[in-house]
């Protein structure tokens, strides 16, 4: 687990993910459990690499809005992705770029193609990508739930 935190920090993935993991480790240790040897069943990992082997379409909600997202691996790089999303009823596509490690994902969005307008941090359970979207300052936070749309 500690190696994973180091990897998050080394790859520049948002501190919020690392902070959530650190808090989890702290709570486990405070409760008397050794996080490296706890008897609890290990979490099932659903690697995002398999999902992004081909372009993926995801649909669901961001806060109260219905959205559709398209993501694919960035050409020539592993562990990085790019794509876009739109809110149903709106024509603007918002650009996305980010990184993933196993089942964790972190992305930045740009509404104008130049400036970062939002941050996405989430986890994949094999069928659903869930997490939080926030403004760059963290003032506004909305949950998101996106389901993978099977290719036809």
């Amino acid at each position: 687990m500690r190696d994973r935190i180091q990897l998050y920090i080394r790859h520049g993935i948002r501190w919020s993910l690392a902070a959530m993991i650190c808090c989890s480790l702290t709570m486990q240790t405070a409760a008397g459990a050794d996080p490296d040897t706890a008897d609890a069943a290990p979490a099932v990992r659903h690697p995002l690499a398999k999902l992004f082997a081909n372009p993926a379409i995801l649909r669901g909600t961001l806060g109260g809005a219905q959205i559709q997202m398209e993501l694919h691996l960035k050409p020539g790089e592993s562990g990085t992705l790019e794509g876009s999303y739109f809110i149903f009823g709106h024509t603007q596509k918002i650009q996305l770029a980010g990184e993933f490690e196993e089942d964790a994902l972190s992305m930045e969005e740009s509404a104008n193609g130049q400036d970062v307008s939002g941050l996405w941090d989430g986890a994949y359970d094999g069928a659903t990508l869930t997490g939080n979207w926030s403004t760059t300052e963290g003032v506004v936070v909305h949950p998101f739930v996106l389901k993978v749309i099977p290719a036809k």
Side-chain angles (χ1 to χ4, degrees), residues 25 54 81 92 100 104 123 125 128 136 139 150:
L25 286 173
N54 295 306
L81 50 95
Q92 180 185 19
F100 63 91
D125 70 4
T128 307
T136 56
V139 175

mmCIF file of all heavy atoms in Angstrom, residues 25 54 81 92 100 104 123 125 128 136 139 150:
data_model
loop_
_atom_site.group_PDB
_atom_site.id
_atom_site.type_symbol
_atom_site.label_atom_id
_atom_site.label_comp_id
_atom_site.label_asym_id
_atom_site.label_seq_id
_atom_site.Cartn_x
_atom_site.Cartn_y
_atom_site.Cartn_z
ATOM 1 N N LEU A 25 -5.197 4.345 5.745
ATOM 2 C CA LEU A 25 -4.116 3.677 6.459
ATOM 3 C C LEU A 25 -4.074 4.116 7.918
ATOM 4 O O LEU A 25 -3.897 3.299 8.813
ATOM 5 C CB LEU A 25 -2.773 3.977 5.798
ATOM 6 C CG LEU A 25 -2.489 3.280 4.474
ATOM 7 C CD1 LEU A 25 -1.204 3.824 3.875
ATOM 8 C CD2 LEU A 25 -2.406 1.791 4.660
ATOM 9 N N ASN A 54 -9.144 -0.242 -25.962
ATOM 10 C CA ASN A 54 -9.876 0.329 -27.105
ATOM 11 C C ASN A 54 -10.570 1.584 -26.600
ATOM 12 O O ASN A 54 -10.835 1.701 -25.403
ATOM 13 C CB ASN A 54 -10.911 -0.663 -27.634
ATOM 14 C CG ASN A 54 -10.259 -1.903 -28.199
ATOM 15 O OD1 ASN A 54 -9.401 -1.823 -29.056
ATOM 16 N ND2 ASN A 54 -10.647 -3.065 -27.684
ATOM 17 N N LEU A 81 -4.224 8.942 -20.629
ATOM 18 C CA LEU A 81 -5.383 8.906 -21.511
ATOM 19 C C LEU A 81 -5.820 10.307 -21.866
ATOM 20 O O LEU A 81 -5.385 11.285 -21.264
ATOM 21 C CB LEU A 81 -6.533 8.134 -20.863
ATOM 22 C CG LEU A 81 -6.917 8.527 -19.448
ATOM 23 C CD1 LEU A 81 -8.046 9.519 -19.462
ATOM 24 C CD2 LEU A 81 -7.298 7.301 -18.680
ATOM 25 N N GLN A 92 -21.124 21.885 -26.514
ATOM 26 C CA GLN A 92 -19.709 22.011 -26.201
ATOM 27 C C GLN A 92 -19.112 20.694 -25.726
ATOM 28 O O GLN A 92 -19.654 20.027 -24.847
ATOM 29 C CB GLN A 92 -19.487 23.071 -25.131
ATOM 30 C CG GLN A 92 -18.028 23.238 -24.763
ATOM 31 C CD GLN A 92 -17.812 24.207 -23.620
ATOM 32 O OE1 GLN A 92 -18.725 24.512 -22.867
ATOM 33 N NE2 GLN A 92 -16.582 24.676 -23.485
ATOM 34 N N PHE A 100 -3.841 7.010 -15.147
ATOM 35 C CA PHE A 100 -4.493 5.973 -14.358
ATOM 36 C C PHE A 100 -3.462 4.968 -13.899
ATOM 37 O O PHE A 100 -2.402 4.808 -14.501
ATOM 38 C CB PHE A 100 -5.618 5.277 -15.146
ATOM 39 C CG PHE A 100 -5.155 4.534 -16.364
ATOM 40 C CD1 PHE A 100 -4.811 3.196 -16.297
ATOM 41 C CD2 PHE A 100 -5.062 5.177 -17.593
ATOM 42 C CE1 PHE A 100 -4.376 2.514 -17.419
ATOM 43 C CE2 PHE A 100 -4.642 4.507 -18.719
ATOM 44 C CZ PHE A 100 -4.293 3.158 -18.637
ATOM 45 N N ALA A 104 -7.455 3.281 -10.267
ATOM 46 C CA ALA A 104 -7.591 4.697 -9.903
ATOM 47 C C ALA A 104 -7.313 5.576 -11.123
ATOM 48 O O ALA A 104 -6.431 5.294 -11.922
ATOM 49 C CB ALA A 104 -6.632 5.049 -8.775
ATOM 50 N N ALA A 123 -12.463 5.929 -9.284
ATOM 51 C CA ALA A 123 -12.055 4.528 -9.208
ATOM 52 C C ALA A 123 -13.001 3.691 -10.056
ATOM 53 O O ALA A 123 -14.185 4.007 -10.189
ATOM 54 C CB ALA A 123 -12.073 4.048 -7.764
ATOM 55 N N ASP A 125 -14.668 -0.115 -10.820
ATOM 56 C CA ASP A 125 -14.978 -1.383 -10.166
ATOM 57 C C ASP A 125 -15.229 -2.526 -11.146
ATOM 58 O O ASP A 125 -15.688 -3.587 -10.756
ATOM 59 C CB ASP A 125 -16.175 -1.227 -9.225
ATOM 60 C CG ASP A 125 -17.492 -1.010 -9.956
ATOM 61 O OD1 ASP A 125 -17.527 -1.056 -11.216
ATOM 62 O OD2 ASP A 125 -18.510 -0.780 -9.270
ATOM 63 N N THR A 128 -18.302 0.279 -13.481
ATOM 64 C CA THR A 128 -18.663 1.670 -13.206
ATOM 65 C C THR A 128 -17.446 2.459 -12.752
ATOM 66 O O THR A 128 -16.645 1.973 -11.957
ATOM 67 C CB THR A 128 -19.752 1.719 -12.112
ATOM 68 O OG1 THR A 128 -20.838 0.881 -12.489
ATOM 69 C CG2 THR A 128 -20.263 3.129 -11.908
ATOM 70 N N THR A 136 -10.865 23.682 -9.968
ATOM 71 C CA THR A 136 -9.433 23.642 -9.678
ATOM 72 C C THR A 136 -9.112 24.118 -8.266
ATOM 73 O O THR A 136 -8.141 23.667 -7.674
ATOM 74 C CB THR A 136 -8.640 24.475 -10.706
ATOM 75 O OG1 THR A 136 -9.159 25.808 -10.724
ATOM 76 C CG2 THR A 136 -8.724 23.867 -12.080
ATOM 77 N N VAL A 139 -13.491 24.418 -4.634
ATOM 78 C CA VAL A 139 -14.628 25.097 -4.008
ATOM 79 C C VAL A 139 -15.927 24.362 -4.320
ATOM 80 O O VAL A 139 -16.785 24.204 -3.464
ATOM 81 C CB VAL A 139 -14.704 26.571 -4.476
ATOM 82 C CG1 VAL A 139 -15.943 27.256 -3.938
ATOM 83 C CG2 VAL A 139 -13.454 27.319 -4.053
ATOM 84 N N PRO A 150 -21.134 -0.773 -23.742
ATOM 85 C CA PRO A 150 -20.485 -1.802 -24.550
ATOM 86 C C PRO A 150 -20.417 -1.400 -26.020
ATOM 87 O O PRO A 150 -21.337 -0.773 -26.554
ATOM 88 C CB PRO A 150 -21.386 -3.027 -24.372
ATOM 89 C CG PRO A 150 -22.247 -2.733 -23.205
ATOM 90 C CD PRO A 150 -22.341 -1.247 -23.090
#
